[in-house]
Amino acid sequence: QPRGARLALARTDGAVEVYNFNANYFQEKVIPGHDARSVESLCWAAGERLFGAGLDGDITEYDLSGLSAARGVDGGGGPIWSMVTNSTGTQLAIGCEDGSVKIFQVVPGGIQFERNLDRRKGRVLCLSWHPSGAHIVAGSIDFFRVIDVTSGQTVQRIMVNHQVDKAKRECVVWAIALLSNGTVVSADSFGRVQFWDWQQGTLTESHTISTSAVLSLAVSEREDSMVVGTSTGATYQLQLLPVKLGGSEKRWVRTKPFQFHSHDVRAVAHSPTALISGGLDAQLVIRPLMERVQKKGYDAVLRKFTFPHRRLVSCARKARLLLFQFSQYLELWRLGSTEETGRDGEVLPLCRMPEHLVQLKSKGPEHIYCSCVSPCGTWLGYSTASRFQLYRVRCDGDGVSLRKV
């Protein structure tokens, strides 16, 4: 959240989580997923309002007090790959499958379509808005273009792979940023972070960060540091440093590599004091920048969110049953038992193996938000965003029967 203390992240099952950075970096809210909803982009607009867009082609506003998807508007250009807000948070720009860039006005109670910008062939995978709001840069496959927002016309189109021997392979521009001095920063599938003077159409700097694709990019508010994430699970920091000590000429230098993820780093963010990354290994990692942390305390610790913050397993102690919650079904297991005794921590031989009793599937596209089994093991309940279900469990010998109440 720009100049705020919250972070919104999306999961591949369509769930959205909000973390609070004010006090102890805790998970504040979870909006459960939905089968029909995929989230490719999230952005905060008009201060506290959160919008998401995805491959279903809709722009969705989230109700952060009711923890649900409040309103959806069809983007009108097929699947949406990217969405950004301008610096004042009053307009949203979306990049679509059909090559169009569309602008929506953020109004009380929703959003309103404003206009189409110049459309070109090729899906728009990433967008960035100039801090002044005058230009938008849109990244596609093999090229990116700069669009004048007032006229809606493309004022510059730059090929990113014209000087590469591997030009037979297509080069995907996965992430892009337009800095206030007019420099365009692109991150691509050849593992490069490149700096362009868009008015001249020339390449000013190129850094080959990785042998694999660079998938994500975020620039700090002061524009003197950036973080990139790669498909090997590594994140790198680049800093704008003077060439000579005390000199005025500065260059971008790759300063710090971090290997906190085991899979693709799909999303990165740059807060005033930390580098934040999220990957396909389902981890959220917050890496503090020690030079930006004033006092050595809670903020100076590496944070790794590797576990769910809400309860996904519940136990019926008397009946020795465990209930496991997945996004669209529940599983009820009976614990194994042993006749041996031993000290705490010892592994004892089982005389009866754990037993999978029943799998209960949730109907409809909504994902299960919470579930529980009663201590006696005869009642089982779960709820989604809109309904609650209660079942009576009967264990007759080896068989189990469920009756919907």
Side-chain angles (χ1 to χ4, degrees):
Q1 191 178 21
R3 290 171 288 283
R6 283 152 128 198
L7 174 85
L9 73 86
R11 302 269 180 191
T12 48
D13 68 349
V16 173
E17 300 170 13
V18 176
Y19 287 80
N20 192 315
F21 284 10
N22 254 336
N24 292 6
Y25 294 87
F26 69 97
Q27 187 190 67
E28 188 183 338
K29 303 168 191 287
V30 178
I31 297 165
H34 193 284
D35 252 19
R37 204 167 55 225
S38 83
V39 188
E40 287 294 318
S41 280
L42 282 174
C43 60
W44 297 93
E48 294 280 310
R49 292 169 67 180
L50 180 64
F51 292 88
L55 302 183
D56 56 357
D58 287 347
I59 304 168
T60 305
E61 182 170 0
Y62 294 100
D63 177 355
L64 293 181
S65 53
L67 298 185
S68 62
R71 290 170 285 274
V73 173
D74 186 2
I80 299 169
W81 288 94
S82 51
M83 177 172 66
V84 286
T85 175
N86 63 351
S87 57
T88 55
T90 55
Q91 289 174 307
L92 294 174
I94 59 167
C96 304
E97 175 79 20
D98 66 357
S100 63
V101 177
K102 299 170 190 293
I103 292 184
F104 288 79
Q105 193 81 25
V106 180
V107 295
I111 56 170
Q112 206 170 316
F113 175 71
E114 193 175 317
R115 55 202 293 237
N116 276 313
L117 302 183
D118 187 22
R119 179 175 154 193
R120 296 287 167 97
K121 199 175 173 186
R123 61 175 64 135
V124 180
L125 292 169
C126 50
L127 289 170
S128 179
W129 209 306
H130 190 268
S132 70
H135 293 92
I136 287 176
V137 62
S140 297
I141 295 171
D142 291 333
F143 71 92
F144 68 83
R145 57 201 175 97
V146 182
I147 307 167
D148 184 296
V149 176
T150 312
S151 67
Q153 296 304 305
T154 298
V155 291
Q156 183 66 276
R157 184 176 182 273
I158 295 175
M159 301 296 291
V160 290
N161 67 342
H162 63 91
Q163 75 282 51
V164 182
D165 309 333
K166 322 175 224 181
K168 297 181 188 72
R169 254 177 46 216
E170 63 182 21
C171 178
V172 182
V173 181
W174 280 119
I176 206 153
L178 180 51
L179 307 184
S180 53
N181 64 2
T183 302
V184 174
V185 189
S186 67
D188 61 41
S189 58
F190 288 171
R192 301 169 307 184
V193 175
Q194 296 184 307
F195 296 81
W196 306 83
D197 179 334
W198 72 262
Q199 281 159 326
Q200 306 296 327
T202 54
L203 179 67
T204 56
E205 282 185 60
S206 180
H207 298 259
T208 302
I209 297 284
S210 170
T211 51
S212 62
V214 179
L215 299 174
S216 46
L217 165 81
V219 184
S220 68
E221 203 176 349
R222 297 189 335 205
E223 296 188 353
D224 58 355
S225 167
M226 65 178 68
V227 56
V228 297
T230 68
S231 59
T232 57
T235 51
Y236 297 89
Q237 187 190 7
L238 286 91
Q239 286 178 286
L240 190 59
L241 299 172
V243 177
K244 287 184 184 159
L245 200 63
S248 59
E249 190 193 345
K250 292 185 174 183
R251 292 199 66 168
W252 286 95
V253 179
R254 193 182 90 187
T255 54
K256 296 172 189 170
F258 306 110
Q259 185 78 46
F260 295 129
H261 296 274
S262 58
H263 291 64
D264 297 11
V265 181
R266 286 284 306 276
V268 290
H270 200 312
S271 83
T273 57
L275 308 178
I276 304 159
S277 56
L280 286 189
D281 55 3
Q283 295 193 33
L284 168 67
V285 177
I286 299 161
R287 170 77 172 77
L289 293 168
M290 299 308 283
E291 67 272 16
R292 303 270 179 92
V293 180
Q294 297 304 316
K295 47 183 192 290
K296 304 291 179 273
Y298 199 87
D299 288 345
V301 183
L302 173 70
R303 293 263 165 282
K304 270 189 171 190
F305 293 92
T306 57
F307 53 89
H309 281 228
R310 51 208 178 97
R311 197 170 66 180
L312 300 179
V313 179
S314 60
C315 173
R317 191 175 288 237
K318 287 181 193 164
R320 301 178 59 75
L321 299 178
L322 281 182
L323 181 71
F324 295 93
Q325 175 188 319
F326 297 87
S327 58
Q328 290 206 283
Y329 62 92
L330 304 171
E331 281 188 358
L332 189 64
W333 286 72
R334 183 183 279 130
L335 287 171
S337 54
T338 182
E339 287 163 353
E340 305 287 321
T341 56
R343 287 200 305 277
D344 196 15
E346 275 186 64
V347 178
L348 304 177
L350 294 179
C351 64
R352 183 172 177 172
M353 296 302 287
E355 190 186 348
H356 180 217
L357 298 177
V358 71
Q359 186 186 73
L360 177 64
K361 288 190 177 167
S362 159
K363 292 182 176 65
E366 291 184 327
H367 290 183
I368 297 170
Y369 186 70
C370 54
S371 60
C372 196
V373 60
S374 64
C376 60
T378 56
W379 296 96
L380 186 154
Y382 75 87
S383 84
T384 67
S386 66
R387 60 202 171 86
F388 167 70
Q389 305 273 26
L390 181 66
Y391 289 84
R392 186 73 192 258
V393 184
R394 286 191 199 284
C395 296
D396 333 311
D398 292 338
V400 169
S401 65
L402 282 183
R403 184 171 62 82
K404 189 169 168 182
V405 180

